[in-house]
Amino acid sequence: MIRKFTGLTAFAAVAATITLAGAESSGANAQVAAQATQTTAVPAPLTEEVVPVFVEKEVVQQLPAMEAQSEFEGLTETPRAQSLRELVNAMPASGELSPELQCLAGAIYFEARGEPLDGQLAVAQVIVNRAEDQRFPSSYCGVVYQRSQFSFIRNGNMPRIRTGSKAWTNARAIARIAHRGLWDSKAGEALYFHAKYVRPGWSRRKVALATIDTHVFYR
C-alpha cells in the first residue's frame, strides 16, 4: 500500500501558514508544537555532513505514477521479510529519493540514527502521521521544516548529511518503509515524542503509546 498526503511536492519543502492555539515540544531533538506558526524554508543539499556525527492507521491514497516511479526506482515489488532488519536490508540501496522522502530520511538520520531500527521507524511514523493530520503541514518537508519543531533545523536549513554512511543507507530504507506502510510501527498513531530523560509539560495532556529505546511516543 502506498501512502499519499495532500500537498506532496517533488521540489522544495512545502510550508503553509497555520496558527494554532499553543506550543508544545515533542522531544529532546524535536520541539513539537501542536499549535505553531508555519514559515517557508528551503532545505540545504543533502550531501556531505560538516557537523559532528551524532551517537549513533492512516489516510491512504494512490501516489501519481511518475512520483512513485522516482521514489522507488529499483523496487519492482514489495519485499517480503520476517523482521524489520531483514526488510531494511531488502530495500534498494541505490536510486534517488524524491525531495519529500529526502526530508523524511533526513529527519530519521538526525533524530534517531543512534536508535535501533524500530526507534528510527517510530520517528518516521510520527512525521508520516503529522503529514496526514489536518493540524500539521500536509507534506513531509512541511512537517520537518515547520517552525520550532525539530532542533536540528537551523535557520530553516538541514545540516549536511554523510551520504556514504550506513546510517544514511538505513535512514533511506526506513523512509521508504514508513512512507509505504510496509512495517507496523510500535508508535502507531503517535504525533509527539520526547526523550525519556525529560518530562515536558505537554506530555501530561497526551496519551503515551510506546517507549522505544530513549524516546516516549504520544498521541
Side-chain angles (χ1 to χ4, degrees), residues 9 14 21 29 33 60 67 81 95 102 104 119 121 125 132 159 172 190 217:
T9 172
V14 176
N29 287 333
V60 179
E67 186 70 23
Q102 290 223 43
L104 181 57
L121 181 61
Q125 188 66 52
E132 295 174 349
R172 286 164 52 93
F217 295 84

Side-chain angles (χ1 to χ4, degrees), residues 155-167:
N155 299 318
N157 293 308
M158 185 180 291
R160 296 179 184 273
I161 290 174
R162 194 174 158 200
T163 56
S165 65
K166 178 63 174 176

Side-chain angles (χ1 to χ4, degrees), residues 46-54 56 85 88 92-94 105-106 108-110 113-114 120 160-173:
L46 300 179
T47 56
E48 288 301 315
E49 183 180 16
V50 295
V51 297
V53 176
F54 297 168
E56 323 199 7
R85 168 65 66 183
V88 166
S94 61
I108 296 164
Y109 180 85
F110 285 112
R113 66 184 181 181
Q120 294 182 44
R160 296 179 184 273
I161 290 174
R162 194 174 158 200
T163 56
S165 65
K166 178 63 174 176
W168 178 238
T169 299
N170 287 343
R172 286 164 52 93

Side-chain angles (χ1 to χ4, degrees), residues 3-202:
R3 294 179 182 274
K4 172 68 166 65
F5 38 82
T6 305
L8 182 66
T9 172
F11 301 99
V14 176
T17 301
I18 56 173
T19 303
L20 302 173
E24 296 172 337
S25 172
S26 74
N29 287 333
Q31 296 180 345
V32 176
Q35 298 103 3
T37 302
Q38 176 81 10
T39 59
T40 302
V42 178
L46 300 179
T47 56
E48 288 301 315
E49 183 180 16
V50 295
V51 297
V53 176
F54 297 168
V55 178
E56 323 199 7
K57 199 136 139 222
E58 56 230 355
V59 177
V60 179
Q61 297 175 339
Q62 291 295 319
L63 277 173
M66 291 182 62
E67 186 70 23
Q69 181 178 357
S70 65
E71 288 177 356
F72 306 112
E73 182 179 351
L75 184 61
T76 57
E77 60 182 24
T78 301
R80 297 180 180 276
Q82 298 299 315
S83 68
L84 180 56
R85 168 65 66 183
E86 187 178 332
L87 182 58
V88 166
N89 291 337
M91 301 302 289
S94 61
E96 290 188 8
L97 296 178
S98 72
E100 287 298 320
L101 283 190
Q102 290 223 43
C103 286
L104 181 57
I108 296 164
Y109 180 85
F110 285 112
E111 281 291 331
R113 66 184 181 181
E115 303 288 310
L117 292 177
D118 57 344
Q120 294 182 44
L121 181 61
V123 168
Q125 188 66 52
V126 168
I127 295 169
V128 170
N129 290 346
R130 286 185 169 205
E132 295 174 349
D133 189 296
Q134 294 182 351
R135 292 170 290 178
F136 297 93
S138 59
S139 70
Y140 298 155
C141 289
V143 168
V144 171
Y145 285 93
Q146 187 178 12
R147 185 178 179 181
S148 301
Q149 306 305 294
F150 294 89
S151 64
F152 65 85
I153 299 294
R154 301 295 177 85
N155 299 318
N157 293 308
M158 185 180 291
R160 296 179 184 273
I161 290 174
R162 194 174 158 200
T163 56
S165 65
K166 178 63 174 176
W168 178 238
T169 299
N170 287 343
R172 286 164 52 93
I174 291 291
R176 283 169 160 157
I177 290 167
H179 176 66
R180 298 189 74 196
L182 298 180
W183 195 267
D184 289 337
S185 170
K186 296 177 183 177
E189 298 178 349
L191 292 169
Y192 313 90
F193 65 91
H194 67 75
K196 290 193 296 186
Y197 53 80
V198 298
R199 183 71 184 274
W202 59 260

